[in-house]
């Protein structure tokens, strides 16, 4: 029996990220844990199989040697279109980080609502790790993602609201850590689970 689209995407993404021994930046865990988490979040929000497949594949073009043409050949035009919308192929030669992120945000604001839904899940999964491990960068990241969510408003509304809540909790965690560092006490950090 042939494998279904989602299972093929899972196997393909796993192989692509493993082929370059890609790891999560802060935990060192195999990178595939990120697409898996994104796919799981997307599947929880009444996604079709093309969306879940694209969630598994959302970083293969950007991060590995896999081409968009290969994704198109293996998974079809619809999945490739979603992956393309989610792939930021800009390089530092194309402007500083602020310029590149603004350009990417504008592109995503016009993306298919299904791609926006996948991006919400991507943001949700990445936020806790960045806040926990890189407080300095986290402030920049949270501002960029808040702006992105404000203009990227066509995806699943429940997942978008969840993403806004995750950013709000992350802001609170950074504030609590700042007070703790200054000796002011504070609660345990929100979302302090490990990657």
């Amino acid at each position: 029996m042939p494998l279904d689209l989602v299972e093929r995407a899972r196997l393909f993404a796993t192989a692509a990220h493993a082929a370059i021994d890609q790891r999560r930046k802060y935990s060192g865990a195999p990178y595939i844990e990120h697409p898996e988490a994104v796919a799981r979040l997307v599947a929880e929000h009444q996604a079709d199989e093309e969306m879940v497949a694209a969630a598994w594949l959302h970083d293969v073009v950007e991060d590995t040697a896999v081409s968009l043409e290969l994704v198109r050949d293996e998974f079809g035009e619809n999945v490739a279109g979603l992956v393309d919308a989610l792939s930021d192929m800009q390089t530092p030669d194309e402007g500083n980080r602020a310029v590149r992120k603004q350009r990417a945000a504008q592109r995503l604001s016009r993306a298919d609502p299904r791609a926006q839904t996948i991006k919400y899940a991507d943001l949700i999964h990445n936020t806790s790790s960045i806040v926990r491990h890189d407080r300095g960068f986290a402030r920049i990241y949270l501002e960029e993602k808040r702006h992105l969510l404000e203009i990227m408003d066509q995806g699943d509304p429940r997942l978008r609201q969840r993403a806004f809540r995750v950013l709000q909790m992350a802001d609170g965690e950074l504030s609590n850590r700042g007070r703790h560092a200054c000796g002011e006490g504070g609660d345990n950090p929100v979302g302090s689970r490990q990657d």
Side-chain angles (χ1 to χ4, degrees):
M1 175 172 19
L3 295 174
D4 71 12
L5 183 68
V6 172
E7 181 62 9
R8 286 190 302 118
R10 183 188 72 78
L11 293 171
F12 187 95
T14 300
H17 292 292
I20 61 169
D21 194 28
Q22 189 175 10
R23 303 274 170 182
R24 293 288 285 165
K25 181 176 182 175
Y26 302 111
S27 70
Y31 190 81
I32 197 63
E33 79 168 18
H34 172 63
E36 178 182 18
V38 171
R40 189 172 40 253
L41 279 169
V42 169
E44 289 170 3
H45 289 82
Q46 301 175 350
D48 59 46
E49 73 172 357
E50 289 176 338
M51 287 175 69
V52 179
W56 275 104
L57 298 166
H58 78 275
D59 280 334
V60 297
V61 172
E62 186 174 330
D63 292 350
T64 76
V66 171
S67 68
L68 187 60
E69 292 73 27
L70 181 56
V71 172
R72 187 175 287 109
D73 290 347
E74 293 291 324
F75 300 98
E77 189 63 44
N78 291 337
V79 172
L82 294 171
V83 172
D84 186 31
L86 295 161
S87 298
D88 185 355
M89 302 306 290
Q90 298 178 85
T91 65
D93 309 357
E94 298 174 65
N96 65 31
R97 180 181 176 88
V99 168
R100 293 191 319 270
K101 291 300 177 183
Q102 181 60 34
R103 199 176 297 131
Q106 289 302 318
R107 181 178 45 78
L108 283 164
S109 74
R110 296 184 299 274
D112 182 315
R114 298 180 310 158
Q116 290 187 8
T117 298
I118 296 165
K119 189 64 179 177
Y120 301 157
D122 179 52
L123 181 157
I124 289 167
H125 187 251
N126 279 331
T127 297
S128 66
S129 178
I130 290 169
V131 169
R132 183 167 47 266
H133 297 289
D134 194 345
R135 226 173 79 188
F137 174 64
R139 295 199 184 283
I140 296 165
Y141 174 85
L142 293 175
E143 188 56 39
E144 290 170 351
K145 298 313 172 193
R146 190 172 296 101
H147 171 70
L148 181 60
L149 283 177
E150 287 167 359
I151 66 172
M152 194 176 63
D153 61 359
Q154 300 301 306
D156 182 271
R158 292 169 301 138
L159 198 55
R160 182 173 181 244
Q161 283 306 309
R162 183 172 171 183
F164 270 121
R165 285 192 306 273
V166 165
L167 294 181
Q168 186 175 27
M169 289 180 354
D171 278 333
E173 182 177 336
L174 287 177
S175 295
N176 284 342
R177 283 188 181 176
R179 283 196 304 272
H180 245 11
C182 296
E184 292 183 24
D187 298 330
N188 288 333
V190 176
S192 59
R193 69 183 196 286
Q194 292 297 314
D195 282 338

